[in-house]
PDB file of all heavy atoms in Angstrom:
ATOM      1  N   GLY A 550      -2.480  -3.536  -0.615  1.00 98.00           N
ATOM      2  CA  GLY A 550      -3.778  -2.917  -0.818  1.00 98.00           C
ATOM      3  C   GLY A 550      -4.281  -2.217   0.439  1.00 98.00           C
ATOM      4  O   GLY A 550      -4.800  -1.099   0.389  1.00 98.00           O
ATOM      5  N   LEU A 551      -4.105  -2.863   1.570  1.00 98.00           N
ATOM      6  CA  LEU A 551      -4.583  -2.293   2.846  1.00 98.00           C
ATOM      7  C   LEU A 551      -3.857  -0.998   3.201  1.00 98.00           C
ATOM      8  O   LEU A 551      -4.440  -0.125   3.857  1.00 98.00           O
ATOM      9  CB  LEU A 551      -4.423  -3.306   3.974  1.00 98.00           C
ATOM     10  CG  LEU A 551      -5.340  -4.534   3.914  1.00 98.00           C
ATOM     11  CD1 LEU A 551      -5.031  -5.490   5.072  1.00 98.00           C
ATOM     12  CD2 LEU A 551      -6.812  -4.147   3.944  1.00 98.00           C
ATOM     13  N   THR A 552      -2.616  -0.854   2.773  1.00 98.00           N
ATOM     14  CA  THR A 552      -1.882   0.378   3.099  1.00 98.00           C
ATOM     15  C   THR A 552      -2.512   1.616   2.470  1.00 98.00           C
ATOM     16  O   THR A 552      -2.227   2.733   2.876  1.00 98.00           O
ATOM     17  CB  THR A 552      -0.408   0.308   2.663  1.00 98.00           C
ATOM     18  OG1 THR A 552      -0.331   0.239   1.214  1.00 98.00           O
ATOM     19  CG2 THR A 552       0.321  -0.857   3.282  1.00 98.00           C
ATOM     20  N   HIS A 553      -3.391   1.407   1.477  1.00 98.00           N
ATOM     21  CA  HIS A 553      -4.047   2.542   0.820  1.00 98.00           C
ATOM     22  C   HIS A 553      -5.306   2.979   1.590  1.00 98.00           C
ATOM     23  O   HIS A 553      -5.998   3.894   1.165  1.00 98.00           O
ATOM     24  CB  HIS A 553      -4.407   2.186  -0.612  1.00 98.00           C
ATOM     25  CG  HIS A 553      -3.191   2.187  -1.515  1.00 98.00           C
ATOM     26  ND1 HIS A 553      -2.949   3.165  -2.457  1.00 98.00           N
ATOM     27  CD2 HIS A 553      -2.152   1.320  -1.590  1.00 98.00           C
ATOM     28  CE1 HIS A 553      -1.796   2.892  -3.054  1.00 98.00           C
ATOM     29  NE2 HIS A 553      -1.291   1.804  -2.564  1.00 98.00           N
ATOM     30  N   LEU A 554      -5.583   2.320   2.727  1.00 97.00           N
ATOM     31  CA  LEU A 554      -6.672   2.730   3.601  1.00 97.00           C
ATOM     32  C   LEU A 554      -6.070   3.516   4.777  1.00 97.00           C
ATOM     33  O   LEU A 554      -5.296   2.937   5.553  1.00 97.00           O
ATOM     34  CB  LEU A 554      -7.437   1.501   4.122  1.00 97.00           C
ATOM     35  CG  LEU A 554      -8.035   0.585   3.073  1.00 97.00           C
ATOM     36  CD1 LEU A 554      -8.728  -0.605   3.736  1.00 97.00           C
ATOM     37  CD2 LEU A 554      -9.007   1.345   2.161  1.00 97.00           C
ATOM     38  N   PRO A 555      -6.411   4.765   4.951  1.00 95.00           N
ATOM     39  CA  PRO A 555      -5.843   5.533   6.059  1.00 95.00           C
ATOM     40  C   PRO A 555      -6.013   4.875   7.419  1.00 95.00           C
ATOM     41  O   PRO A 555      -5.136   4.973   8.292  1.00 95.00           O
ATOM     42  CB  PRO A 555      -6.604   6.858   5.974  1.00 95.00           C
ATOM     43  CG  PRO A 555      -6.973   6.998   4.552  1.00 95.00           C
ATOM     44  CD  PRO A 555      -7.282   5.593   4.084  1.00 95.00           C
ATOM     45  N   ASP A 556      -7.129   4.154   7.632  1.00 94.00           N
ATOM     46  CA  ASP A 556      -7.370   3.515   8.916  1.00 94.00           C
ATOM     47  C   ASP A 556      -6.385   2.387   9.212  1.00 94.00           C
ATOM     48  O   ASP A 556      -6.326   1.905  10.358  1.00 94.00           O
ATOM     49  CB  ASP A 556      -8.792   2.962   8.977  1.00 94.00           C
ATOM     50  CG  ASP A 556      -9.847   4.035   9.088  1.00 94.00           C
ATOM     51  OD1 ASP A 556      -9.460   5.220   9.321  1.00 94.00           O
ATOM     52  OD2 ASP A 556     -11.031   3.748   8.940  1.00 94.00           O
ATOM     53  N   SER A 557      -5.633   1.953   8.210  1.00 96.00           N
ATOM     54  CA  SER A 557      -4.686   0.820   8.408  1.00 96.00           C
ATOM     55  C   SER A 557      -3.297   1.268   8.844  1.00 96.00           C
ATOM     56  O   SER A 557      -2.435   0.428   9.138  1.00 96.00           O
ATOM     57  CB  SER A 557      -4.588   0.004   7.119  1.00 96.00           C
ATOM     58  OG  SER A 557      -3.740   0.672   6.173  1.00 96.00           O
ATOM     59  N   HIS A 558      -3.037   2.554   8.871  1.00 92.00           N
ATOM     60  CA  HIS A 558      -1.679   3.024   9.045  1.00 92.00           C
ATOM     61  C   HIS A 558      -1.108   2.831  10.449  1.00 92.00           C
ATOM     62  O   HIS A 558       0.109   2.961  10.635  1.00 92.00           O
ATOM     63  CB  HIS A 558      -1.553   4.474   8.593  1.00 92.00           C
ATOM     64  CG  HIS A 558      -1.767   4.650   7.112  1.00 92.00           C
ATOM     65  ND1 HIS A 558      -1.956   5.884   6.527  1.00 92.00           N
ATOM     66  CD2 HIS A 558      -1.832   3.755   6.105  1.00 92.00           C
ATOM     67  CE1 HIS A 558      -2.136   5.733   5.228  1.00 92.00           C
ATOM     68  NE2 HIS A 558      -2.054   4.432   4.958  1.00 92.00           N
ATOM     69  N   GLU A 559      -1.968   2.513  11.398  1.00 94.00           N
ATOM     70  CA  GLU A 559      -1.463   2.186  12.739  1.00 94.00           C
ATOM     71  C   GLU A 559      -1.121   0.697  12.878  1.00 94.00           C
ATOM     72  O   GLU A 559      -0.593   0.276  13.901  1.00 94.00           O
ATOM     73  CB  GLU A 559      -2.510   2.583  13.796  1.00 94.00           C
ATOM     74  CG  GLU A 559      -2.789   4.071  13.861  1.00 94.00           C
ATOM     75  CD  GLU A 559      -1.553   4.892  14.112  1.00 94.00           C
ATOM     76  OE1 GLU A 559      -0.760   4.528  14.991  1.00 94.00           O
ATOM     77  OE2 GLU A 559      -1.368   5.916  13.412  1.00 94.00           O
ATOM     78  N   LEU A 560      -1.420  -0.060  11.854  1.00 97.00           N
ATOM     79  CA  LEU A 560      -1.134  -1.497  11.871  1.00 97.00           C
ATOM     80  C   LEU A 560       0.302  -1.750  11.473  1.00 97.00           C
ATOM     81  O   LEU A 560       0.906  -1.012  10.701  1.00 97.00           O
ATOM     82  CB  LEU A 560      -2.074  -2.237  10.891  1.00 97.00           C
ATOM     83  CG  LEU A 560      -3.565  -2.129  11.182  1.00 97.00           C
ATOM     84  CD1 LEU A 560      -4.355  -2.642   9.987  1.00 97.00           C
ATOM     85  CD2 LEU A 560      -3.924  -2.885  12.457  1.00 97.00           C
ATOM     86  N   LEU A 561       0.859  -2.836  11.974  1.00 97.00           N
ATOM     87  CA  LEU A 561       2.214  -3.238  11.613  1.00 97.00           C
ATOM     88  C   LEU A 561       2.191  -4.071  10.336  1.00 97.00           C
ATOM     89  O   LEU A 561       1.196  -4.724  10.017  1.00 97.00           O
ATOM     90  CB  LEU A 561       2.850  -4.032  12.750  1.00 97.00           C
ATOM     91  CG  LEU A 561       3.022  -3.292  14.077  1.00 97.00           C
ATOM     92  CD1 LEU A 561       3.651  -4.205  15.125  1.00 97.00           C
ATOM     93  CD2 LEU A 561       3.855  -2.028  13.894  1.00 97.00           C
ATOM     94  N   HIS A 562       3.297  -4.023   9.598  1.00 97.00           N
ATOM     95  CA  HIS A 562       3.428  -4.755   8.342  1.00 97.00           C
ATOM     96  C   HIS A 562       3.017  -6.207   8.502  1.00 97.00           C
ATOM     97  O   HIS A 562       2.209  -6.747   7.732  1.00 97.00           O
ATOM     98  CB  HIS A 562       4.886  -4.667   7.862  1.00 97.00           C
ATOM     99  CG  HIS A 562       5.212  -5.501   6.680  1.00 97.00           C
ATOM    100  ND1 HIS A 562       5.011  -5.088   5.378  1.00 97.00           N
ATOM    101  CD2 HIS A 562       5.730  -6.769   6.596  1.00 97.00           C
ATOM    102  CE1 HIS A 562       5.410  -6.035   4.543  1.00 97.00           C
ATOM    103  NE2 HIS A 562       5.840  -7.059   5.255  1.00 97.00           N
ATOM    104  N   GLY A 563       3.579  -6.889   9.495  1.00 98.00           N
ATOM    105  CA  GLY A 563       3.313  -8.322   9.668  1.00 98.00           C
ATOM    106  C   GLY A 563       1.897  -8.648  10.041  1.00 98.00           C
ATOM    107  O   GLY A 563       1.397  -9.736   9.767  1.00 98.00           O
ATOM    108  N   GLU A 564       1.194  -7.705  10.693  1.00 98.00           N
ATOM    109  CA  GLU A 564      -0.199  -7.924  11.025  1.00 98.00           C
ATOM    110  C   GLU A 564      -1.048  -7.971   9.749  1.00 98.00           C
ATOM    111  O   GLU A 564      -1.942  -8.830   9.629  1.00 98.00           O
ATOM    112  CB  GLU A 564      -0.694  -6.816  11.969  1.00 98.00           C
ATOM    113  CG  GLU A 564      -0.036  -6.878  13.337  1.00 98.00           C
ATOM    114  CD  GLU A 564      -0.305  -5.656  14.198  1.00 98.00           C
ATOM    115  OE1 GLU A 564      -0.580  -4.588  13.657  1.00 98.00           O
ATOM    116  OE2 GLU A 564      -0.224  -5.791  15.432  1.00 98.00           O
ATOM    117  N   LYS A 565      -0.759  -7.071   8.842  1.00 98.00           N
ATOM    118  CA  LYS A 565      -1.505  -7.076   7.562  1.00 98.00           C
ATOM    119  C   LYS A 565      -1.132  -8.277   6.715  1.00 98.00           C
ATOM    120  O   LYS A 565      -1.997  -8.860   6.050  1.00 98.00           O
ATOM    121  CB  LYS A 565      -1.242  -5.759   6.825  1.00 98.00           C
ATOM    122  CG  LYS A 565      -1.919  -4.538   7.438  1.00 98.00           C
ATOM    123  CD  LYS A 565      -1.531  -3.250   6.780  1.00 98.00           C
ATOM    124  CE  LYS A 565      -0.241  -2.681   7.315  1.00 98.00           C
ATOM    125  NZ  LYS A 565       0.017  -1.286   6.952  1.00 98.00           N
ATOM    126  N   VAL A 566       0.113  -8.668   6.735  1.00 98.00           N
ATOM    127  CA  VAL A 566       0.548  -9.846   5.968  1.00 98.00           C
ATOM    128  C   VAL A 566      -0.091 -11.103   6.550  1.00 98.00           C
ATOM    129  O   VAL A 566      -0.540 -11.968   5.780  1.00 98.00           O
ATOM    130  CB  VAL A 566       2.092  -9.957   5.967  1.00 98.00           C
ATOM    131  CG1 VAL A 566       2.532 -11.291   5.380  1.00 98.00           C
ATOM    132  CG2 VAL A 566       2.705  -8.805   5.179  1.00 98.00           C
ATOM    133  N   ALA A 567      -0.117 -11.204   7.853  1.00 98.00           N
ATOM    134  CA  ALA A 567      -0.731 -12.385   8.471  1.00 98.00           C
ATOM    135  C   ALA A 567      -2.189 -12.535   8.070  1.00 98.00           C
ATOM    136  O   ALA A 567      -2.666 -13.623   7.748  1.00 98.00           O
ATOM    137  CB  ALA A 567      -0.593 -12.305   9.987  1.00 98.00           C
ATOM    138  N   PHE A 568      -2.928 -11.425   8.098  1.00 98.00           N
ATOM    139  CA  PHE A 568      -4.299 -11.448   7.607  1.00 98.00           C
ATOM    140  C   PHE A 568      -4.328 -11.856   6.140  1.00 98.00           C
ATOM    141  O   PHE A 568      -5.189 -12.628   5.712  1.00 98.00           O
ATOM    142  CB  PHE A 568      -4.914 -10.073   7.780  1.00 98.00           C
ATOM    143  CG  PHE A 568      -6.278  -9.908   7.160  1.00 98.00           C
ATOM    144  CD1 PHE A 568      -7.394 -10.502   7.751  1.00 98.00           C
ATOM    145  CD2 PHE A 568      -6.433  -9.142   6.021  1.00 98.00           C
ATOM    146  CE1 PHE A 568      -8.657 -10.338   7.160  1.00 98.00           C
ATOM    147  CE2 PHE A 568      -7.698  -9.004   5.443  1.00 98.00           C
ATOM    148  CZ  PHE A 568      -8.804  -9.601   6.017  1.00 98.00           C
ATOM    149  N   GLY A 569      -3.353 -11.362   5.365  1.00 98.00           N
ATOM    150  CA  GLY A 569      -3.283 -11.723   3.953  1.00 98.00           C
ATOM    151  C   GLY A 569      -3.086 -13.182   3.690  1.00 98.00           C
ATOM    152  O   GLY A 569      -3.556 -13.712   2.657  1.00 98.00           O
TER     153      GLY A 569
END
Side-chain angles (χ1 to χ4, degrees):
L551 291 177
T552 65
H553 286 252
L554 303 178
D556 288 349
S557 77
H558 292 167
E559 297 303 315
L560 299 168
L561 299 179
H562 172 86
E564 293 170 335
K565 287 174 276 194
V566 171
F568 173 73

